[in-house]
Amino acid sequence: MLTELKTITLLGAGGKMGMRISDNLQKSQYQVFYCETAPQGQQRVKDAGREVTDADTSIAISDVVILAVPDIILQKISSVIVPKMKPGAILLTLDPAASYANLIAQRADILYAVAHPCHPSVFLERYTKAEYDDAFGGVAAVQSIVAAFEQGTAEQRSALENIVRQMYAPVDDVHWITVKQLAYLEPTLVETVTCMVGTLMKEALDETVKSCGVPEAAAKAIMYGHIQIALAVAFRSTNPFSDACMIAIEYGKEKIIKPDWKTIFDEKELDLVLARMLKIDAVRR
C-alpha cells in the first residue's frame, strides 16, 4: 500500500467545492489533475488558469482520487471510477452520507476516506477583513476538519492529512473519527439541528417584522446581537441567563420543540434521514 502520496485527481473540479479545493491544491507541491465533465464547469476550470484533464488517464496514475460531486450521484460515479484506480490508492469523498450508507463501490485493494470541513468557528478570533469575509473557510479564516480513514496505517493517514490540510487551508486541527461518527455530526448535529435552528431563527425574524410591525432594521439589530450572546452564554458560560430568560427559554421549548426530539440520535433515525437525503429506499446494512 502507498505511504507517499504525490499525485491527485480531483473529479468535479469545476463545481462549487471543486473550485474551492482546486484553488488551494494549485498552491501545493502535489501533481494535481483537474477533471470536469460539465461544459460550464470546464470553462470555470480554464478561466482559473487550470487545465482540464481526461479522467481515465489521470485516475489510473493517481495516489488519491477526490470526488467533489453531489452525494446523490456518488454511487453511480464511484462504480465507474473505482475499477480504474491503481492498487493502494485512496478514494476520498467530502461527505459521509454515501459512505455510511454503503453506496460507494468497493475494492479490496484500495483505501477509502472522508474529509469534511467544519467551517470557521463562530468563536474564531479574526484580525483581518479577509478573515471576517471568509464565512465558508478555505480562504483566509482558520477552520477545523473532521475526517475518517479506518483502513490504512498511521503513516498513510499522516500523508493523507497533509493533503486534507492543503485542500481546506488554513486548517488548525484535523479530528479523525469513524464514518458512523462523522454521519452523526453531518447530517444529524449540523443539518438536522444546527441548520434547522438557523432557518427557524430567520423565519422568526421575518414573522416579527410581518406580524408585529417591528421595523426590519431594529429586529435584525437585536436578533444578530442576541445570537452572539446566546451562543456565548450557552456554550462558554460567559454569563448566566437571567431567571426571567430561563423561564422564556423553557416556554420556547414547550411551544417549539417536541419532547422526544433526541430520538434523532437513534441509529434508525440516522438511517432514515440519510435515505431521504440520498433519495434511496433505505440505508444498506
Side-chain angles (χ1 to χ4, degrees):
M1 294 295 181
L2 301 173
T3 56
E4 188 175 4
L5 307 176
K6 297 180 179 180
T7 55
I8 299 171
T9 286
L10 175 61
L11 293 169
K16 289 188 293 185
M17 280 304 299
M19 289 296 289
R20 290 177 181 274
I21 292 171
S22 296
D23 289 343
N24 283 334
L25 287 179
Q26 190 174 22
K27 307 169 189 174
S28 73
Q29 76 276 20
Y30 301 102
Q31 182 180 15
V32 184
F33 302 104
Y34 305 98
C35 302
E36 176 61 58
T37 58
Q40 291 182 331
Q42 290 180 345
Q43 190 59 52
R44 284 192 289 270
V45 173
K46 295 174 183 177
D47 290 344
R50 295 183 280 267
E51 180 181 348
V52 177
T53 304
D54 175 67
D56 288 343
T57 301
S58 64
I59 290 169
I61 61 172
S62 289
D63 301 324
V64 178
V65 177
I66 303 172
L67 300 184
V69 299
D71 278 348
I72 59 173
I73 64 171
L74 276 175
Q75 182 177 20
K76 178 181 178 181
I77 295 295
S78 66
S79 67
V80 175
I81 299 307
V82 167
K84 300 174 182 178
M85 294 174 62
K86 69 180 183 180
I90 299 172
L91 184 71
L92 176 62
T93 57
L94 310 185
D95 291 283
S99 293
Y100 175 75
N102 293 314
L103 298 181
I104 305 295
Q106 297 294 303
R107 235 179 78 190
D109 60 346
I110 68 169
L111 301 173
Y112 297 83
V114 184
H116 190 79
C118 294
H119 310 295
S121 169
V122 66
F123 298 118
L124 177 67
E125 294 184 8
R126 303 174 191 243
Y127 302 97
T128 67
K129 185 178 185 304
E131 290 173 341
Y132 278 104
D133 291 342
D134 186 16
F136 193 92
V139 178
V142 174
Q143 64 178 331
S144 296
I145 308 299
V146 285
F149 186 56
E150 300 179 58
Q151 301 163 299
T153 65
E155 291 78 10
Q156 289 169 325
R157 191 178 81 173
S158 178
L160 180 61
E161 181 171 321
N162 291 334
I163 292 177
V164 170
R165 286 180 174 276
Q166 185 66 51
M167 288 167 54
Y168 296 123
V171 170
D172 51 7
D173 298 314
V174 178
H175 302 279
W176 292 98
I177 57 179
T178 67
V179 170
K180 184 175 183 178
Q181 289 171 333
L182 189 47
Y184 272 118
L185 294 183
E186 178 151 333
T188 303
L189 181 61
V190 169
E191 293 166 328
T192 303
V193 178
T194 308
C195 293
M196 180 277 295
V197 170
T199 61
L200 178 64
M201 289 191 292
K202 178 58 167 62
E203 290 177 24
L205 175 67
D206 293 342
E207 192 63 25
T208 300
V209 174
K210 176 183 176 182
S211 299
C212 306
V214 176
E216 184 176 358
K220 285 182 176 180
I222 197 166
M223 189 170 202
Y224 292 174
H226 278 76
I227 287 173
Q228 176 167 279
I229 192 61
L231 293 175
V233 172
F235 285 91
R236 293 197 162 183
S237 302
T238 53
N239 293 288
F241 289 116
S242 69
D243 292 342
C245 182
M246 289 301 301
I247 293 172
I249 288 171
E250 291 305 315
Y251 173 76
K253 288 181 178 180
E254 291 172 7
K255 297 294 288 186
I256 300 171
I257 299 177
K258 292 182 178 180
D260 65 344
W261 73 270
K262 292 182 182 178
T263 57
I264 63 171
F265 292 99
D266 293 345
E267 186 173 301
K268 64 179 181 180
E269 294 296 328
L270 176 61
D271 290 355
L272 177 62
V273 68
L274 286 175
R276 289 185 182 181
M277 293 171 67
L278 296 169
K279 300 181 180 180
I280 57 177
D281 293 334
V283 169
R284 295 176 180 176
R285 282 286 175 264

